[in-house]
Amino acid sequence: RIDENTKPTEFKTILFALCWFHAIVCGRRRFGPQGWSRAYSYNDGDLTICGLVLFLYLDMNPEVPWQDLRYLFGEIMYGGHVTDPWDRVQLNSYLKIYITEQLFDGFQLAPGFPTPKMEPLSYKDVFGYID
């Protein structure tokens, strides 16, 4: 289904960053009150629905609607769990960093871990890149 999008390279690249964002958001729970002020119930369903929204928004728009995507992910999908205003600021800060046009220019998701060039990569290649 990934290659059915009218912008497959953009879809794969942003989805990769969205998975990274999801891992960070879920990982912060391990740190208790130093991670999030409350225990939010983020799960794989949040990532799945964001992937579907991403798919549809890329198909419906001539260019990547960065601001719309950050709003939907940060205020509605993941943000729908958030009740603390400081946690909302943190969540949206992550989205401003990771959901950006710079993803297509080798943006460093972490030191030494740039966003891969998705155009030539298959599903299996992406897993190899992560390993």
Side-chain angles (χ1 to χ4, degrees), residues 57-75:
Y57 264 70
L58 289 177
D59 265 355
M60 293 181 345
N61 291 282
E63 294 182 11
V64 177
W66 296 104
Q67 190 170 349
D68 293 351
L69 292 172
R70 285 190 293 266
Y71 179 82
L72 288 167
F73 301 157
E75 296 294 331

Side-chain angles (χ1 to χ4, degrees), residues 35-128:
W36 298 110
S37 64
R38 292 176 174 74
Y40 299 117
S41 60
Y42 300 121
N43 58 56
D44 291 344
D46 298 309
L47 178 59
T48 301
I49 194 69
C50 286
L52 291 172
V53 167
L54 173 63
F55 187 93
L56 293 172
Y57 264 70
L58 289 177
D59 265 355
M60 293 181 345
N61 291 282
E63 294 182 11
V64 177
W66 296 104
Q67 190 170 349
D68 293 351
L69 292 172
R70 285 190 293 266
Y71 179 82
L72 288 167
F73 301 157
E75 296 294 331
I76 298 171
M77 305 306 175
Y78 285 88
H81 297 281
V82 176
T83 56
D84 183 83
W86 291 110
D87 288 346
R88 185 172 303 281
V89 168
Q90 183 66 42
L91 184 77
N92 284 307
S93 294
Y94 281 133
L95 285 167
K96 285 179 188 171
I97 293 168
Y98 293 121
I99 306 301
T100 174
E101 291 179 27
Q102 297 171 353
L103 291 172
F104 305 110
D105 299 322
F107 178 76
Q108 298 273 324
L109 294 169
F113 191 67
T115 307
K117 297 281 186 200
M118 290 293 187
E119 199 166 318
L121 297 180
S122 69
Y123 187 75
K124 185 178 177 182
D125 293 334
V126 172
F127 277 101

